[in-house]
Amino acid sequence: MSQSDVFWSASLEEIKQGYKEEANYYVCLLCGEQIEKGVIYPHEEVLYEAKRYIRLHIENTHDSVFNYLLNLDKKLTGLTEHQTTLLKHFYAGKSDKEVQQEMEIGSSSTIRHHRFVLKEKERQAKTLLAIMELLKEKDLYAPAFVAPHKHATMLDDRYAVTAEEQTKILNKYFIEGLTGPLNKFPPNEKQRLVVLRAIAGRLDANAKYNEKDLNAILKEIYNDYVLIRRYLIEYGFLDRKADGSVYWLKK
């Protein structure tokens, strides 16, 4: 199961805490880091058991679950940039007056209106969540869609891929299996997405690659490695420094 699949399959409570408990380890939902149970972890001359250490990892690596979620693409959060800024101020504990002055908008009553709109979105989200949970009990023909990766740059029909479709596409373009080369680059964007997701899965989520090393890995997959690298960035799987000196998978 990919890191995105782990994230989207988590419960609301698990997403709020930022990690999920498995039989032998805790897994960070934000980056996939696994903390083994029964191991004592040192940090700044203090020893931590696994459950406390996974929380410490989230604090040190991701600042907070709130900020991580808020920084996801607006197509995933459903929030405008303006609402995202407001929520950051609210989370920082600022009063309506302080927020109004800092953002230089309207008055305190304007901020209260924005709070009301956000509460309305919360009620809508809860209602839809309940509806979809109830639907699972009755909808026997619902296809199993593949969850989009968290940094998807465009959420549209290209992402409406079922698990069955994904398998067919992968078998078509990786005729020697997922560890083998790509026989050709798909012309269809939905197929491209599936193929790029598989290629991204062959990279180390914790590694920092220089351009030469990344090119060497991608060249084993497809001869036009520059094309693959460009699309991995375009589709939100890969990020890099501005000068192209370092590449890494987005978490």
Side-chain angles (χ1 to χ4, degrees):
M1 184 181 290
S2 71
Q3 204 264 315
S4 285
D5 290 334
V6 173
F7 180 87
W8 292 118
S9 66
S11 68
L12 178 60
E13 286 304 312
E14 288 169 336
I15 291 176
K16 282 170 59 180
Q17 68 186 10
Y19 65 90
K20 187 173 185 177
E21 182 175 359
E22 301 290 355
N24 299 313
Y25 60 88
Y26 296 97
V27 57
C28 176
L29 295 175
L30 314 185
C31 70
E33 180 78 15
Q34 293 183 1
I35 305 300
E36 187 178 349
K37 292 181 179 179
V39 175
I40 300 300
Y41 295 86
H43 177 73
E44 295 183 351
E45 300 183 355
V46 178
L47 300 178
Y48 296 91
E49 51 87 24
K51 190 172 185 178
R52 178 66 186 90
Y53 190 75
I54 188 68
R55 294 173 180 168
L56 187 66
H57 159 78
I58 291 170
E59 293 171 11
N60 291 337
T61 308
H62 307 291
D63 182 33
S64 71
V65 177
F66 181 89
N67 286 328
Y68 178 88
L69 295 175
L70 210 55
N71 287 326
L72 291 175
D73 191 274
K74 62 183 179 181
K75 292 179 181 177
L76 292 176
T77 64
L79 298 167
T80 65
E81 290 184 14
H82 187 71
Q83 289 171 329
T84 298
T85 302
L86 284 166
L87 286 166
K88 287 180 179 179
H89 286 307
F90 297 154
Y91 191 70
K94 296 176 183 177
S95 67
D96 289 0
K97 185 65 175 177
E98 290 172 326
V99 175
Q100 180 265 323
Q101 290 176 342
E102 189 153 341
M103 294 184 67
E104 299 180 344
I105 54 172
S107 62
S108 295
S109 60
T110 303
I111 304 302
R112 284 195 295 275
H113 172 72
H114 286 303
R115 285 186 182 273
F116 174 80
V117 171
L118 288 166
K119 291 298 292 184
E120 192 65 19
K121 287 179 73 72
E122 180 189 13
R123 286 188 283 270
Q124 292 169 348
K126 283 183 177 179
T127 303
L128 179 60
L129 182 60
I131 289 171
M132 295 305 292
E133 286 295 317
L134 291 168
L135 180 61
K136 288 179 185 178
E137 302 171 8
K138 299 291 185 180
D139 189 0
L140 303 179
Y141 302 100
F145 287 106
V146 177
H149 57 288
K150 290 184 292 181
H151 298 284
T153 54
M154 65 291 276
L155 283 175
D156 50 27
D157 289 344
R158 284 169 284 192
Y159 287 80
V161 181
T162 66
E164 183 180 1
E165 286 177 313
Q166 177 176 256
T167 299
K168 289 180 179 179
I169 292 169
L170 293 176
N171 289 339
K172 178 180 179 180
Y173 289 99
F174 291 97
I175 57 178
E176 296 180 26
L178 291 181
T179 58
L182 179 69
N183 65 329
K184 64 178 179 178
F185 192 65
N188 177 282
E189 290 213 48
K190 179 182 286 191
Q191 295 174 336
R192 285 179 184 175
L193 173 65
V194 172
V195 165
L196 290 167
R197 193 200 318 267
I199 292 173
R202 289 166 67 168
L203 298 175
D204 185 345
N206 297 312
K208 299 284 187 179
Y209 297 98
N210 61 43
E211 187 172 289
K212 182 180 178 181
D213 289 342
L214 178 63
N215 289 345
I217 293 171
L218 297 181
K219 193 172 183 179
E220 290 184 359
I221 299 172
Y222 192 61
N223 61 331
D224 192 349
Y225 56 87
V226 176
L227 175 74
I228 299 298
R229 191 183 68 209
R230 175 165 62 84
Y231 272 106
L232 285 171
I233 294 170
E234 184 177 318
Y235 276 74
F237 290 103
L238 203 63
D239 207 347
R240 64 178 178 177
K241 286 189 174 181
D243 61 1
S245 61
V246 182
Y247 294 79
W248 63 91
L249 282 177
K250 287 187 174 183
K251 295 183 179 182

